[in-house]
Amino acid sequence: MNHNYIIPNKWSIIEEGFDAERVTASESLFSIGNGAMGQRANFEEAYSGDTLQGSYIGGIYYPDKTRVGWWKNGYPEYFAKVLNAPNWIGIAIKIDGQELDLNTCKVIAFYRELNMKKAWLKRSFIVELSNARQVKVESLRFLSFSLTEVGVIKYSIKALNFSGMLEIAPYIDAGIVNEDSNYDEFFWKVLDLSENDNGASILSETLKTKFQVCTGMKNVFHLNGKKINPTKKSTKSEKYIAHHYQIDLAKDDKVTLYKYAGYVQSMNHPKKDLCSVSHDVLSKAVAIGFAGLLKQQKQDWEKIWATSDILIKGDLKAQQAIRFNIFQLNQTYTGKDARLNIGPKGFTGEKYGGSTYWDTEAYCIPFYLSTKDKQVAKNLLLYRYNQLDKAIENAKKLGFTKGAALYPMVTMNGEESHNEWEITFEEIHRNGAMIYAIYNYVNYTGDYNYILEYGMEVIIAVARFWSQRATFSNFKNQYMILGVTGPNEYENNVNNNWYTNYIAKWCLHYAVENMQRIGLEYPTDYKRISHKTNFKESEISDWQSIANRMYFPHSESMGIFMQQDGFLDKEIIPVKELPDSERPINQKWSWDRILRSCYIKQADVLQGMYFFEDHFSDLKLKNHFEYYEPLTVHESSLSPCVHSILASKLNMDEKAYEMYLRTARLDLDDYNDEVHEGCHITSMAGTWLSVVQGFGGMRNFNNKLSFNPSIPAEWKSYSFKINYRDAIIQVYKSHKETIYTNLSDKPLTFFANNRRLVLAQKGLISLK
Ligand code: BGC
């Protein structure tokens, strides 16, 4: 219903014309964020139509009581969710007594733009109210990247065909709820409301977790470009403060309100200071002024784009889509704070509770590694390092001992908060992704110190988990991992999911390899780590023998690994033979039918082949791709990107492009009719991967950087940049040539289509 209304544009997401049916979808798509906070593109003025109000603060969550049918031992007590935070954007408007509400007045023109280059959201519209008054409204809003506790709105109203009374009331409102609240509870308690001349603030506290937030506003008015000080009247209720102003408008008069607002919160300041800090921060913002903050915003984003932009020539929609993905990722996570992470919906909706999943390690880390300073990806790793104690506690609750760690499937603070047994207890492959991310980081940056200072402790704890979770089969004389859910969540409680067994084996080897290396090369660290983790030499041989004797389901006759034991006993019918009317199967079929079917939700065996591509020959990869992809329904947003990358690798260009389109415009074209719930932020990293690792063929195995670029027939050229060990490399690919440019002063050795090349500082190599 909401497909294809976004107007193609290089740098902006644009919507023209008003359609109430599209409001919630656009609220997601036009979301803005600055890493510290983010919000859906809700209207400032009243809106009585269908809307999902959403404004979120990084790190502020509530442990909502779980809602499960039948309690099982080991389930977590709660489901952590990022809270919908007090509304600071609100501006109530009346014209000669009539409320401005796009749902009830006649909308003559409507334009909305999210400018990704400069990171602002604009709306402009002309409406006629039921009293025949016509007004033109323009609003420009952004969340400052330099003052991350501040958001600013410039909101103008022009009287088009009348002289009359404008009543304008900027407000802040802490009376908000979460749509996904399990028991319709209120999550906030208001502690204090206060006011000063042109401003106000509300101090509120989350129940149970006791985070405190001061939501503040300061308002400045102009009439026809000149500052005015209209008389204020305020109304207050228990959770709400509004400042009302009445301004006489002559025809063509234009009133502009500059609303400076935002959140100051207790993760960053002492609780007792929150309101005074809020006052200071907003006063500073007022002193810099709207134009000054906007200029700064543009400069901040120039820096972001300088290292992360991807340029695509010859396909405007593809250009818009890739920038949208890069933009949203940068709005969600800036890497300044190791306590924050990337929820699957970022700041664009409530689904998934805003919590951290394995998506971060499996998909997002490579994006941040290549487009930012290494500290950003390091902070994502530190997030898990800092939660290691909780992961050990979590494993202990499930019966594991001796410092084994099981990282949660979903978390805000390190504790598991997912509670479906088949996922909480069984989707344990996530533990492997934690280690894979460490490997990825160290391999990419060369920063082995990370392993010494932090990583090894995590690697040991996860190796202990796998060594206890694997069980020995006397019958097969090999180790099994029983009762799991692989990345393909359309199979539960299976035995020997190939991906899980493979990553477990790899983790055990990686633990052995690193512990042995540290023993030889860094004896002091070896001692310290051994002491801290209570490590015993004998663990090495245990890990080795389990890894060496791990079982992998395999079909000799077909020459492929089976997704799990018994996979071949299923009725194998390719997805293309399923009628459209039965898809997506997760909406059309019973869960029972899904579980018995051969259909694969997202890359599973192929996820492993993607992670460990260097362990397999091209022929093996091809055989597995050709077997599993036709059975894959891609009903997770994380699915198409992995398939696109593998298809590029295998020179299956059409497939690679088909899968790329599915990931790149998933939200903009709302393929799955669900964008109203929020955007798929973590899979956006997958879109970036599809260009850089897929078409660009970038790989970084064993300390070797390589490219093998191809280009979709539909494009004229594309280029991307990566930051590799402090060298900034630009790769340009057209149908005629490939150009590698070193934009930095650091020379770089790399491989292009298997040729070793040395790129001098500021050097350029062109290959035909
Ligand atoms: C996927 C998981 C993913 C989660 C959050 C699920 O649909 O199957 O792999 O972690 O969404 O993105």
Side-chain angles (χ1 to χ4, degrees):
M1 194 194 312
N2 292 316
H3 307 242
N4 273 321
Y5 67 87
I6 297 299
I7 294 171
N9 182 285
K10 271 195 293 201
W11 275 111
S12 287
I13 304 303
I14 296 172
E15 173 185 14
E16 271 177 19
F18 182 71
D19 179 350
E21 297 269 310
R22 301 197 302 229
V23 167
T24 50
S26 290
E27 284 173 348
S28 300
L29 290 173
F30 292 78
S31 289
I32 51 176
N34 66 5
M37 59 174 163
Q39 51 179 229
R40 291 169 59 79
N42 302 127
F43 298 159
E44 288 89 0
E45 70 283 348
Y47 185 67
S48 58
D50 194 16
T51 167
L52 174 61
Q53 294 291 305
S55 181
Y56 312 96
I57 308 173
I60 304 268
Y61 69 94
Y62 179 80
D64 200 11
K65 269 190 285 176
T66 53
R67 202 167 60 175
V68 285
W70 206 271
W71 187 263
K72 294 192 172 59
N73 247 352
Y75 272 0
E77 301 288 326
Y78 66 86
F79 191 95
K81 41 192 63 149
V82 165
L83 291 189
N84 197 1
N87 171 353
W88 58 255
I89 64 165
I91 304 172
I93 310 276
K94 280 185 183 166
I95 313 280
D96 283 336
Q98 285 285 316
E99 183 166 57
L100 174 60
D101 172 353
L102 287 177
N103 195 39
T104 54
C105 54
K106 183 169 147 202
V107 183
I108 297 167
F110 181 90
Y111 175 87
R112 171 156 37 188
E113 176 180 352
L114 178 65
N115 185 306
M116 301 184 283
K117 192 168 189 176
K118 301 178 189 159
W120 48 247
L121 167 66
K122 181 195 223 161
R123 264 186 325 140
S124 97
F125 55 87
I126 296 174
V127 289
E128 184 174 295
L129 284 82
S130 54
N131 56 11
R133 306 288 189 259
Q134 287 188 2
V135 288
K136 176 168 184 188
V137 173
E138 285 172 312
S139 94
L140 191 67
R141 178 162 109 210
F142 61 93
L143 303 184
S144 169
F145 254 64
S146 44
L147 298 182
T148 53
E149 292 161 321
V150 175
V152 204
I153 307 168
K154 177 182 178 188
Y155 194 92
S156 316
I157 304 167
K158 185 173 178 184
L160 294 182
N161 65 349
F162 68 96
S163 297
M165 175 64 71
L166 166 71
E167 287 174 70
I168 177 164
Y171 63 88
I172 45 182
D173 180 8
I176 31 79
V177 289
N178 263 54
E179 193 180 63
D180 70 346
S181 152
N182 280 343
Y183 295 92
D184 292 333
E185 282 172 312
F186 196 73
F187 298 150
W188 293 92
K189 182 168 128 194
V190 172
L191 302 178
D192 188 39
L193 287 85
S194 64
E195 287 185 80
N196 47 48
D197 307 343
N198 60 351
S201 62
I202 300 182
L203 183 65
S204 45
E205 184 176 69
T206 57
L207 300 178
K208 295 187 188 163
T209 37
K210 307 268 180 227
F211 291 106
Q212 286 190 8
V213 172
C214 180
T215 309
M217 69 169 178
K218 281 191 188 297
N219 304 302
V220 176
F221 284 93
H222 283 199
L223 177 62
N224 300 327
K226 290 215 180 73
K227 190 164 179 225
I228 52 167
N229 285 310
T231 315
K232 177 187 89 186
K233 209 176 107 228
S234 53
T235 50
K236 264 195 214 173
S237 70
E238 204 192 322
K239 296 173 180 168
Y240 170 95
I241 306 181
H243 284 173
H244 299 260
Y245 301 86
Q246 292 197 329
I247 301 170
D248 277 324
L249 291 184
K251 181 172 168 297
D252 292 331
D253 270 352
K254 180 162 139 181
V255 169
T256 303
L257 160 64
Y258 295 92
K259 184 174 184 184
Y260 300 83
Y263 305 119
V264 169
Q265 56 123 325
S266 59
M267 281 168 71
N268 302 326
H269 304 277
K271 287 183 178 171
K272 63 176 180 29
D273 299 340
L274 290 179
C275 288
S276 69
V277 174
S278 164
H279 178 78
D280 294 350
V281 166
L282 293 180
S283 302
K284 184 173 170 192
V286 173
I288 299 171
F290 185 86
L293 289 167
L294 193 60
K295 191 168 158 210
Q296 183 63 49
Q297 184 82 342
K298 185 173 163 244
Q299 288 166 358
D300 289 339
W301 275 85
E302 256 165 26
K303 285 193 206 126
I304 293 173
W305 286 114
T307 53
S308 62
D309 192 20
I310 291 183
L311 210 71
I312 299 174
K313 291 263 167 68
D315 185 341
L316 187 55
K317 284 179 110 178
Q319 176 67 80
Q320 180 182 44
I322 191 68
R323 284 194 172 132
F324 180 65
N325 288 272
I326 297 168
F327 178 69
Q328 288 291 1
L329 285 162
N330 276 290
Q331 295 206 105
T332 309
Y333 186 74
T334 56
K336 292 180 193 153
D337 188 339
R339 295 167 303 175
L340 304 182
N341 211 286
I342 308 146
K345 298 269 173 221
F347 296 120
T348 69
E350 296 177 10
K351 206 174 166 202
Y352 298 109
S355 311
T356 308
Y357 282 67
W358 73 303
D359 305 25
T360 296
E361 283 71 24
Y363 295 85
C364 300
I365 285 208
F367 167 80
Y368 292 103
L369 262 178
S370 287
T371 61
K372 306 258 163 235
D373 182 83
K374 68 172 183 284
Q375 187 59 39
V376 172
K378 185 173 171 181
N379 274 346
L380 288 171
L381 297 185
L382 285 173
Y383 175 92
R384 299 290 192 176
Y385 173 76
N386 293 331
Q387 298 181 349
L388 178 59
D389 288 348
K390 293 261 169 63
I392 292 176
E393 205 178 298
N394 183 36
K396 214 166 161 185
K397 281 188 201 152
L398 305 187
F400 296 89
T401 57
K402 295 187 193 138
L406 175 59
Y407 276 92
M409 186 65 192
V410 181
T411 196
M412 278 306 295
N413 63 353
E415 286 167 23
E416 176 63 84
S417 72
H418 200 291
N419 32 49
E420 287 168 271
W421 64 269
E422 60 275 29
I423 293 191
T424 316
F425 305 146
E426 298 208 328
E427 209 174 328
I428 52 175
H429 69 79
R430 63 196 184 240
N431 235 16
M434 307 299 138
I435 310 306
Y436 190 77
I438 296 174
Y439 156 81
N440 229 342
Y441 169 85
V442 174
N443 195 36
Y444 193 90
T445 61
D447 176 14
Y448 197 71
N449 269 336
Y450 184 81
I451 298 232
L452 300 176
E453 287 176 39
Y454 311 102
M456 198 63 227
E457 290 172 47
V458 176
I459 299 168
I460 289 174
V462 168
R464 285 174 173 161
F465 170 82
W466 289 124
S467 67
Q468 294 173 38
R469 186 62 169 75
T471 49
F472 189 70
S473 156
N474 281 326
F475 176 64
K476 288 209 171 86
N477 209 19
Q478 279 181 301
Y479 281 91
M480 316 277 116
I481 302 185
L482 307 177
V484 302
T485 296
N488 167 22
E489 293 177 339
Y490 289 178
E491 300 274 359
N492 299 150
N493 205 34
V494 299
N495 293 336
N496 296 310
N497 167 259
W498 180 83
Y499 172 79
T500 307
N501 289 20
Y502 201 84
I503 204 158
K505 175 188 163 104
W506 174 82
C507 286
L508 290 165
H509 278 315
Y510 192 60
V512 171
E513 175 193 318
N514 281 289
M515 218 37 199
Q516 285 177 337
R517 174 171 174 192
I518 296 170
L520 286 175
E521 295 177 27
Y522 308 93
T524 323
D525 292 294
Y526 185 85
K527 256 200 191 146
R528 180 184 46 80
I529 295 167
S530 300
H531 180 72
K532 192 164 178 197
T533 58
N534 204 11
F535 172 76
K536 303 270 176 306
E537 288 280 341
S538 59
E539 289 183 271
I540 293 266
S541 51
D542 281 356
W543 297 344
Q544 255 165 345
S545 89
I546 296 171
N548 290 339
R549 294 168 79 184
M550 188 69 79
Y551 165 76
F552 296 102
H554 185 255
S555 158
E556 293 303 326
S557 58
M558 295 167 60
I560 53 170
F561 291 110
M562 292 290 98
Q563 186 177 269
Q564 74 247 5
D565 283 351
F567 187 79
L568 280 181
D569 298 337
K570 289 174 181 272
E571 193 173 28
I572 308 280
I573 304 170
V575 175
K576 67 173 189 319
E577 289 177 28
L578 279 178
D580 277 355
S581 59
E582 298 199 14
R583 299 186 59 194
I585 59 171
N586 67 11
Q587 286 169 29
K588 304 287 167 69
W589 283 12
S590 72
W591 192 242
D592 160 68
R593 191 171 171 201
I594 290 176
L595 290 177
R596 285 184 284 110
S597 80
C598 66
Y599 300 118
I600 304 171
K601 180 182 181 188
Q602 67 200 89
D604 191 295
V605 171
L606 295 180
Q607 182 77 36
M609 300 237 153
Y610 160 66
F611 275 173
F612 302 108
E613 187 195 286
D614 58 327
H615 300 186
F616 302 97
S617 68
D618 283 5
L619 182 64
K620 270 241 156 1
L621 294 175
K622 186 163 181 278
N623 289 345
H624 285 83
F625 189 91
E626 284 177 347
Y627 184 72
Y628 286 110
E629 198 285 325
L631 305 179
T632 307
V633 284
H634 304 292
E635 288 178 12
S636 158
S637 64
L638 299 174
S639 188
C641 55
V642 174
H643 290 87
S644 178
I645 297 167
L646 285 174
S648 286
K649 155 92 191 159
L650 297 169
N651 301 321
M652 300 165 128
D653 296 343
E654 269 175 38
K655 190 79 200 169
Y657 192 63
E658 175 202 329
M659 288 288 123
Y660 173 75
L661 289 181
R662 266 179 95 149
T663 174
R665 292 191 67 93
L666 174 73
D667 290 322
L668 288 178
D669 293 341
D670 198 8
Y671 280 138
N672 298 337
D673 272 328
E674 60 185 12
V675 79
H676 56 278
E677 295 175 344
C679 297
H680 297 85
I681 302 296
T682 49
S683 88
M684 292 182 178
T687 306
W688 180 90
L689 289 168
S690 310
V691 177
V692 174
Q693 297 186 348
F695 304 134
M698 182 185 91
R699 293 293 185 275
N700 180 223
F701 290 117
N702 307 316
N703 281 304
K704 192 175 119 182
L705 179 69
S706 58
F707 299 95
N708 191 1
S710 61
I711 178 166
E714 291 75 2
W715 298 357
K716 283 200 178 112
S717 69
Y718 68 94
S719 71
F720 61 85
K721 288 176 198 155
I722 59 153
N723 173 0
Y724 182 76
R725 303 193 179 186
D726 302 325
I728 308 280
I729 311 301
Q730 180 177 285
V731 178
Y732 166 89
K733 173 80 187 156
S734 68
H735 292 279
K736 285 200 213 104
E737 62 179 339
T738 309
I739 305 174
Y740 299 94
T741 314
N742 186 347
L743 303 171
S744 69
D745 291 329
K746 249 194 102 184
L748 179 84
T749 304
F750 68 102
F751 293 78
N753 304 53
N754 295 325
R755 254 174 74 191
R756 185 172 179 276
L757 297 173
V758 180
L759 199 48
Q761 56 188 74
K762 298 270 167 14
L764 180 152
I765 297 174
S766 165
L767 304 175
K768 298 280 177 225

